[in-house]
Amino acid sequence: MKEAPERVQMLPGAGARVGSLVRSGVRADARDLLRDHVLTVVGADAENSAPYVDPAVGGLVVTGARANTAVSALRNQYPHLVLLAEPNAPSTYTATKARPFKLDDAGLLQETLDAVLDGQLRSGADVAITPTGFIDAGDWGAAKAAVEQANLAAGDNILTLLPVSPRWCAEPAVDQLIAIAKRSRHPVAIALVSNQGNPWSAGGVVEGYRRLFDEVQWAMPWRTDLAAFASLASGAPAAALGQRPGNRRVNPPGKHGIASVPANRYPHVLLRDLLRFSRSDFMQTAWFASTEPYVCTCTHCGGRAVSRFGASTDDVLSAHLHNLEIVTSLMRECMALDPSDRAGWWAGLVRRAAYAHDELAAYTSVKVVMPADLQAWAKVFS
Amino acid sequence: MLGTVRVARGLTQSELARHAGLSQALLSKVEGGLVTLDEGRLASLADQLDVPEKLLVMSVAQAGPSTYVFHRKRSTLTVSKANQLRADLDLLHLQVAGIVGDFRPPTIPKIPLPVDGYTSPEEVAEMVRAALGYTHGPAFNLVSALESAGVAVLRRPLGSVRIDAMVSWPPGRRPIVLLGDHAPGDRQRFTVAHELGHAVMHDIPTETQETEADRFAAELLMPRVEVSPLLDRLTVPRLAQLKSEWGVSMAALLRRARDLDKISDFRYRSMNIELSRAGYRTREPVDVRVDEPRLVMSIVEERLASGETIESLANSAWMTSSEFRRVYLEEAPG
């Protein structure tokens, strides 16, 4: 961790929050706290990542079974950082009309939604996230129940999580999702839950996703990849973006991702010009096998190859911190803009990404196809 | 109703005028209510059209409120054929009201979709399933269930295979579903459910009405809660098995699997190619029984059995005796 002091210099000081609305003993409204922030969803990397998060535009969402404990520890170190603890409901529990939330009923008394939310806030989370289970395609009863029951929870620092099948975001179901989300009195977070590859690649999802964030006044994307920025460009006031692939995706309960290769530990590296993540070993063997690799000038790479990362724990962490720095730079660019200018900014990035793919193909003499979701974003924002 | 009857018979003004020995200009004025016909010409027209004279002099307002007619058709259906079938349905409302009267008034709910989309067609279908008495499992005998709920269903040749069915539900009357007789059982069941969706949800045409009626039909025939677990690891043989169990086409089941996120878009496309290669896009394996309507015919039979004459029944149905015999007694339609 010897680079840490440099990183602190690079980012305007974790704990030295600029324009902070929070923490003078009174909790701020969730909308005020989250607006114009892109949160990073992290698991075990929370402690290592926290020093590099720019509190002016970022924050952390800690996942995992011990998320509350982790947030509690981080809160003491980073009093001004936006911190949330995500309940692990979407990948372990399927919401129903009768029971939209994952609540522990193993004890003598049934756990209540209020108790779960209070637990997060007591641990130091700024905003409490509802433990909503996975909302399957077409299960309107579960979706409505989640919003209706969350609306009964008191407080202004609650985020109603709607972890939905991507089908909810495509026509014609997106109409109902929009109508349901509009009835929430809390801000809403939309996570796409799927084990069938990239959820934004499914037909009509990108278009519906854009409509959703355009039409619902306070909805933010949850556990996304760079689609976070497309959402901000569509009108979302905030976003939550996953640091590792597992934080960017949610599989339905009992399902595994079809694209996952558990044995491969090489990290996914974010390539800013291409607006995509790519595994380092793939870059080594497919793109840069016979040409000099691209280099990166971020604090963590220092002019070294973007494909250099191995599968060791240190390399993987280093790659994720590289990703965080790039995401942070995008956050700052985006948040510096008036919301009405963000669509044009994102459209420009996607356009340049298309050229960057052509350039990479020409440079490496390897066929490099622009991912389907980026192609869809290009079309939607053209 | 002269104009309605003429269109229902598939005649142009010129054709009818020529057959009845009138000028087309005169016929046009009569249909527009500008001129009243003398008895001789009225009788000639009634004879040509095979309808009672009283129907021709009935005003459209007397016939009852008109409503938008929804139909499940192919885009190649000609406008004149569509108009003919709509006019036919207007006459059918008079016939059914005359034959069935107030017996078994409709009990299915009218549930218009809200503009903001908060209530989905699938939700409406769930409510209608319950109203029809389907607690779980496939909605078999759908036509009987509809008739029990006061919907008149009639099955007869529509004169074109380009249209499967039509429905209309004017205020104050019972809904009527007019089914063609050419579709196989699985398609007919989906068509009935689709038309029911129109009747329950729609009063005025919208851009999305056909998609909404399809979603309604899919949920009515393949309720998500029960079908979704059956659509895991879908194969073509599995589709055929599910078709026999649920009475819906393999194509509809495959689409349902995609809409419920049980298969990816890619798998949906590849399985459609498989179906196509096997020739199942034009003719699917597994026959599904065709539901036969009974309500209208059973009342005709009851009234005749009670001693009522054919002439009297025909009169109440605004039909000539010959037409009544041909439609209800010789062809034995629904």
Side-chain angles (χ1 to χ4, degrees):
Chain A
M1 297 293 100
K2 62 182 179 184
E3 300 92 341
E6 293 166 22
R7 288 173 187 135
V8 172
Q9 285 172 12
M10 176 192 80
L11 299 169
R17 183 171 180 155
V18 179
S20 171
L21 289 163
V22 293
R23 299 215 168 274
S24 56
V26 178
R27 289 184 193 280
D29 177 278
R31 291 172 174 81
D32 293 335
L33 267 169
L34 299 175
R35 181 174 290 111
D36 289 343
H37 280 65
V38 178
L39 310 178
T40 302
V41 184
V42 289
D45 292 342
E47 198 177 339
N48 290 323
S49 303
Y52 308 105
V53 176
D54 179 353
V57 293
L60 285 181
V61 179
V62 184
T63 67
R66 298 177 58 77
N68 283 3
T69 309
V71 163
S72 186
L74 288 170
R75 175 52 71 211
N76 295 329
Q77 287 180 270
Y78 305 100
H80 299 301
L81 190 63
V82 172
L83 289 172
L84 282 72
E86 186 201 59
N88 67 339
S91 58
T92 55
Y93 178 73
T94 300
T96 64
K97 188 176 180 179
R99 296 187 61 179
F101 304 120
K102 183 185 180 187
L103 300 170
D104 189 1
D105 54 5
L108 284 175
L109 296 173
Q110 164 83 50
E111 188 177 40
T112 65
L113 175 61
D114 283 341
V116 172
L117 300 175
D118 284 347
Q120 294 173 39
L121 296 173
R122 271 203 309 276
S123 74
D126 291 292
V127 175
I129 306 165
T130 58
T132 321
F134 164 56
I135 299 171
D136 207 349
D139 194 351
W140 49 269
K144 287 184 174 182
V147 168
E148 286 166 6
Q149 293 186 29
N151 280 350
L152 299 176
D156 294 327
N157 45 6
I158 294 167
L159 184 62
T160 299
L161 178 61
L162 296 179
V164 297
S165 155
R167 291 285 171 216
W168 273 105
C169 274
E171 294 284 357
V174 71
D175 291 340
Q176 191 176 28
L177 180 60
I178 288 170
I180 291 170
K182 279 182 174 177
R183 279 169 168 75
S184 175
R185 76 176 190 86
H186 306 297
V188 169
I190 306 287
L192 299 188
V193 180
S194 174
N195 69 323
Q196 299 185 21
N198 186 338
W200 290 278
S201 300
V205 171
V206 161
E207 292 81 357
Y209 206 62
R210 184 168 192 197
R211 256 195 69 199
L212 175 72
F213 296 112
D214 178 39
E215 294 183 27
V216 181
Q217 200 177 11
W218 227 110
M220 63 184 287
W222 198 257
R223 279 185 175 250
T224 64
D225 51 22
L226 295 182
F229 293 102
S231 311
L232 292 165
S234 301
L241 181 151
Q243 186 168 60
R244 289 174 182 256
N247 306 133
R248 292 191 282 272
R249 299 278 185 273
V250 191
N251 290 322
K255 301 278 176 67
H256 298 288
I258 55 173
S260 67
V261 184
N264 189 340
R265 309 292 293 177
Y266 285 84
H268 288 78
V269 183
L270 177 55
L271 305 164
R272 182 189 156 121
D273 289 348
L274 283 89
L275 286 184
R276 66 185 287 178
F277 291 89
S278 189
R279 268 196 201 275
S280 57
D281 63 331
F282 176 80
M283 287 192 277
Q284 291 161 18
T285 56
W287 290 352
F288 304 123
S290 56
T291 52
E292 286 296 314
Y294 282 180
V295 296
C296 172
T297 56
C298 83
T299 315
H300 309 284
C301 295
R304 288 176 288 169
V306 288
S307 57
R308 74 183 186 283
F309 301 104
S312 70
T313 305
D314 282 352
D315 263 11
V316 171
L317 175 62
S318 188
H320 291 149
L321 293 177
H322 151 93
N323 293 349
L324 180 56
E325 182 169 332
I326 295 203
V327 166
T328 302
S329 71
L330 288 168
M331 289 177 195
R332 288 174 178 151
E333 276 181 34
C334 183
M335 296 311 172
L337 295 168
D338 186 87
S340 61
D341 293 331
R342 290 173 185 170
W345 167 78
W346 175 250
L349 284 183
V350 175
R351 227 175 8 253
R352 281 196 292 280
Y355 299 138
H357 279 80
D358 292 342
E359 285 167 6
L360 177 61
Y363 173 66
T364 58
S365 301
V366 172
K367 186 178 178 185
V368 184
V369 179
M370 193 161 155
D373 53 339
L374 262 183
Q375 291 182 34
W377 291 123
K379 197 183 290 180
V380 167
F381 279 87
S382 63
Chain B
M1 293 293 283
L2 172 59
T4 303
V5 175
R6 175 183 58 75
V7 174
R9 295 293 191 254
L11 296 169
T12 63
Q13 281 187 343
S14 304
E15 287 166 343
L16 178 58
R18 191 169 61 248
H19 294 319
L22 307 174
S23 72
Q24 188 263 331
L26 175 62
L27 183 60
S28 175
K29 286 176 182 167
V30 174
E31 287 187 7
L34 302 174
V35 172
T36 306
L37 282 176
D38 60 52
E39 283 187 12
R41 283 170 166 164
L42 182 62
S44 173
L45 277 174
D47 186 50
Q48 284 297 325
L49 295 167
D50 192 19
V51 289
E53 291 175 21
K54 66 173 184 174
L55 180 61
L56 297 185
V57 296
M58 176 192 274
S59 71
V60 173
Q62 276 177 290
S66 193
T67 186
Y68 190 80
V69 174
F70 296 92
H71 37 55
R72 192 160 190 241
K73 67 175 178 67
R74 298 183 192 171
S75 56
T76 48
L77 183 73
T78 62
V79 173
S80 60
K81 186 65 192 172
N83 288 340
Q84 181 187 353
L85 290 167
R86 279 192 208 106
D88 214 17
L89 198 53
D90 281 344
L91 299 183
L92 206 50
H93 270 291
L94 289 173
Q95 289 178 21
V96 169
I99 294 169
V100 181
D102 293 332
F103 175 76
R104 201 181 288 163
T107 56
I108 60 164
K110 190 94 183 164
I111 309 171
L113 292 172
V115 177
D116 74 350
Y118 188 67
T119 303
S120 65
E122 288 85 356
E123 280 181 77
V124 176
E126 191 179 286
M127 292 180 237
V128 171
R129 249 182 92 85
L132 292 174
Y134 293 111
T135 51
H136 65 276
F140 283 129
N141 304 315
L142 185 58
V143 168
S144 303
L146 287 186
E147 291 185 328
S148 297
V151 179
V153 184
L154 294 108
R155 184 167 180 265
R156 58 180 55 167
L158 297 181
S160 171
V161 293
R162 299 187 191 284
I163 184 162
D164 283 347
M166 308 175 81
V167 67
S168 80
W169 188 356
R173 291 197 186 275
R174 72 176 69 240
I176 290 183
V177 177
L178 178 58
L179 287 175
D181 63 350
H182 55 273
D186 52 338
R187 185 170 171 88
Q188 188 222 49
R189 279 169 46 72
F190 199 91
T191 295
V192 170
H194 174 103
E195 297 304 327
L196 177 63
H198 281 313
V200 170
M201 300 185 295
H202 299 138
D203 279 326
I204 52 171
T206 67
E207 291 289 330
T208 52
Q209 65 187 28
E210 296 310 315
T211 309
E212 289 163 356
D214 279 344
R215 291 169 64 190
F216 175 96
E219 178 65 25
L220 190 83
L221 299 174
M222 300 169 275
R224 183 191 67 82
V225 172
E226 294 182 62
V227 164
S228 184
L230 307 175
L231 299 173
D232 284 324
R233 291 178 289 281
L234 210 52
T235 59
V236 170
R238 177 71 175 145
L239 281 175
Q241 183 193 348
L242 289 172
K243 177 179 179 179
S244 68
E245 290 171 11
W246 287 83
V248 285
S249 69
M250 293 162 73
L253 282 158
L254 185 58
R255 175 61 187 254
R256 189 73 171 143
R258 198 205 71 150
D259 290 346
L260 293 177
D261 210 19
K262 307 304 286 189
I263 55 171
S264 65
D265 289 347
F266 178 79
R267 180 75 180 136
Y268 177 70
R269 283 194 295 272
S270 66
M271 285 193 74
N272 263 313
I273 292 168
E274 267 186 77
L275 292 179
S276 203
R277 280 188 185 140
Y280 294 164
R281 300 279 288 174
T282 47
R283 175 153 179 80
E284 287 191 1
V286 185
D287 287 332
V288 173
R289 189 176 63 82
V290 173
D291 286 346
E292 289 294 346
R294 283 293 307 155
L295 175 68
V296 178
M297 267 313 293
S298 65
I299 292 175
V300 167
E301 287 163 5
E302 274 175 34
R303 287 177 65 170
L304 289 173
S306 70
E308 200 168 343
T309 63
I310 290 173
E311 287 69 25
S312 162
L313 259 171
N315 187 51
S316 65
W318 301 84
M319 301 170 83
T320 62
S321 300
S322 61
E323 185 190 12
F324 186 87
R325 278 197 183 86
R326 191 173 65 252
V327 173
Y328 287 105
L329 302 179
E330 291 171 13
E331 293 180 358

